Amino acid sequence: MRLAGRISAAIEVLTEVEQRHRPVSEALKAWGFAHRFAGAGDRAAIGNLVYDALRRRQSHAQAMQSDAPRALVLSVVVRDWGEPAEALANSFTDDRHAPEPITETEMEALRRADGPAVPDVPEWLQPSLERALGSEWIAEMQAMAERPPLDLRVNTLKSSVERVANSLKRFSPQSTDIAPTGLRLPAGQRDSRTPNVTTDEGYQKGWFEIQDQGSQIVSLLAGAQPGEQVLDLCAGGGGKTLAMAAAMDNRGQIFAHDSDRSRLAPIYDRLKRSGVRNAQVRPPEPEALDDLAGRMDRVLIDAPCTGTGTWRRRPDTKWKLSTEQLQLRVAEQQAILDAAVASLKPGGTLVYITCSLLPEENADQVADFHRRHEGFEDLNLKHVWTSYLNGDFRGLDMPHGLLLTPLRTGTDGFYIAALKRTATR
């Protein structure tokens, strides 16, 4: 397919997403099944057009004076992909898969200079984001609207950074600048395809995992030590369980638990592939953690949240988020924090993590926890940073914890707080 045909397909997919409220991944998959003639390069290009349009939807809508899928995609091709407007219009004339010809009104909009910077987030969330990020909040949101890189965490239980980098040298990986065992494949431009590293021999052997550098950073800041007893209370697919197992050098014990059986399902194969021997999966039954009461050196809560820190990867979710969803997540987080206390021994550490930028889910949540539970003190994670990570502290110092952002740390957005239990009860 040529560019004009890819544009037509992207408009079709984006229309499906907006009219039927389908997740982008599902809409793209359905389009691919219905158009078997499209190759892998075509599907990648179409996906890039759709995701780029959603990442900067308000900016493109402002420039085009329209938020229709066609207007958004045309603006992406000219403003983000650098295609000259005249050349784009000409390409529509000799491609039977092209959309309708570009109108004079559209051409004027495509030639028009961009207006003031737009934050590209729902208006109702802007006060919360400004409260969390301060005067740089618009710049932070512009960074959040960029394409993300592909980050990998080298599994030191089986391999080394040098060995994995050599295995993937055809992709020219770079060492991550903060996480000590990470590799990064930078985001591509225009219609470039994201490398499928899961087919690499090293991945099949468990030498590395796909994990954003931000997730790697908070996994290390969690501070799990060899020989400790650790509960990963919201383990999901096991990304942070695997990272902590490597940090603990397979010594001690990690209990991986999740309330959702389907989220937990991938962890079994991942543990086996990665050579993790100190992790035990606890199923989502109510009594599954009873024997751990008061025994844990460390309880990790990778809390369910709005996912506002992952908008680079899932830009469609930011336009679907509602106040009701935020309130539901806040209530879930509160319940999980309260439940976690039972497993923690005196002197143990409660680690609270979200992939959110919103203070309602982060500092506010920890402050509320302190009001409900006496005998906990905040640990200074900036000091922990210098022990486990490369370079000086680059995150945002927040009440009770710290925040990672695309602008400051080049990562997804993550909040982490660590609370030491000082009381005996």
Side-chain angles (χ1 to χ4, degrees), residues 151-170:
D151 290 342
L152 314 174
R153 180 187 60 80
V154 174
N155 177 19
T156 53
L157 297 175
K158 282 194 168 185
S159 193
S160 66
V161 173
E162 294 74 18
R163 189 179 188 184
V164 174
N166 185 62
S167 173
L168 298 173
K169 62 183 178 181
R170 63 192 182 279

Side-chain angles (χ1 to χ4, degrees), residues 18 38 42 47 96 110 142 149-150 155 177 215 232 245 269 281 315 376 387 401:
E18 297 200 351
D42 295 321
R96 64 187 181 89
L110 292 171
Q142 289 174 322
L150 179 66
N155 177 19
D177 55 346
S215 182
D232 188 352
D269 287 340
V281 181
F376 284 86
S387 300

Side-chain angles (χ1 to χ4, degrees), residues 23-76:
V24 171
S25 57
E26 289 185 12
L28 286 168
K29 186 176 181 179
W31 187 92
F33 276 126
H35 301 81
R36 301 287 183 139
F37 63 85
D42 295 321
R43 294 193 298 273
I46 294 162
N48 287 345
L49 286 169
V50 171
Y51 279 112
D52 286 349
L54 291 169
R55 288 187 181 102
R56 300 206 309 126
R57 191 177 81 174
Q58 287 184 337
S59 293
H60 290 300
Q62 175 180 275
M64 298 297 290
Q65 295 296 294
S66 170
D67 62 357
R70 174 183 167 97
L72 299 178
V73 174
L74 292 178
S75 185
V76 165

Side-chain angles (χ1 to χ4, degrees), residues 260-275:
D260 187 319
R261 197 176 300 274
S262 62
R263 282 200 304 262
L264 198 60
I267 197 172
Y268 298 95
D269 287 340
R270 295 181 75 186
L271 291 172
K272 182 178 180 181
R273 189 179 68 245
S274 296

Side-chain angles (χ1 to χ4, degrees), residues 379-390:
L379 298 182
N380 189 334
L381 289 174
K382 292 174 69 173
H383 293 328
V384 181
W385 182 291
T386 59
S387 300
Y388 294 106
L389 302 169
N390 297 328

Side-chain angles (χ1 to χ4, degrees), residues 44-282:
I46 294 162
N48 287 345
L49 286 169
V50 171
Y51 279 112
D52 286 349
L54 291 169
R55 288 187 181 102
R56 300 206 309 126
R57 191 177 81 174
Q58 287 184 337
S59 293
H60 290 300
Q62 175 180 275
M64 298 297 290
Q65 295 296 294
S66 170
D67 62 357
R70 174 183 167 97
L72 299 178
V73 174
L74 292 178
S75 185
V76 165
V77 174
V78 172
R79 291 184 167 84
D80 293 349
W81 289 30
E83 190 75 13
E86 288 74 13
L88 179 62
N90 291 336
S91 73
F92 282 21
T93 62
D94 60 351
D95 188 337
R96 64 187 181 89
H97 297 294
E100 292 295 316
I102 294 176
T103 67
E104 283 299 321
T105 301
E106 289 172 332
M107 185 60 73
E108 289 177 9
L110 292 171
R111 291 171 178 153
R112 188 183 303 131
D114 290 346
V118 174
D120 281 300
V121 295
E123 186 174 351
W124 70 272
L125 279 173
Q126 293 179 12
S128 289
L129 291 167
E130 186 172 7
R131 181 158 68 95
L133 302 168
S135 60
E136 290 190 321
W137 78 276
I138 292 180
E140 290 278 9
M141 290 301 97
Q142 289 174 322
M144 185 63 83
E146 299 296 324
R147 289 188 190 178
L150 179 66
D151 290 342
L152 314 174
R153 180 187 60 80
V154 174
N155 177 19
T156 53
L157 297 175
K158 282 194 168 185
S159 193
S160 66
V161 173
E162 294 74 18
R163 189 179 188 184
V164 174
N166 185 62
S167 173
L168 298 173
K169 62 183 178 181
R170 63 192 182 279
F171 300 129
S172 302
Q174 306 168 1
S175 294
T176 47
D177 55 346
I178 301 176
T181 60
L183 291 171
R184 168 165 289 185
L185 307 182
Q189 303 296 319
R190 289 179 57 110
D191 59 354
S192 60
R193 296 170 59 184
T194 301
N196 183 11
V197 295
T198 61
T199 61
D200 185 81
E201 179 185 20
Y203 180 82
Q204 300 296 327
K205 291 182 176 180
W207 292 359
F208 64 88
E209 291 285 332
I210 297 173
Q211 187 176 25
D212 178 74
Q213 183 181 201
S215 182
Q216 296 179 46
I217 291 170
V218 295
S219 296
L220 289 171
L221 291 178
Q225 301 295 311
E228 284 189 340
Q229 300 290 301
V230 179
L231 171 60
D232 188 352
L233 191 56
C234 306
K240 294 180 179 64
T241 296
L242 297 175
M244 289 192 296
M248 295 167 69
D249 197 26
N250 255 339
R251 289 180 285 161
Q253 187 73 45
I254 302 174
F255 300 92
H257 172 77
D258 200 281
S259 61
D260 187 319
R261 197 176 300 274
S262 62
R263 282 200 304 262
L264 198 60
I267 197 172
Y268 298 95
D269 287 340
R270 295 181 75 186
L271 291 172
K272 182 178 180 181
R273 189 179 68 245
S274 296
V276 172
R277 299 189 303 274
N278 69 329
Q280 180 184 132
V281 181
R282 291 293 179 96

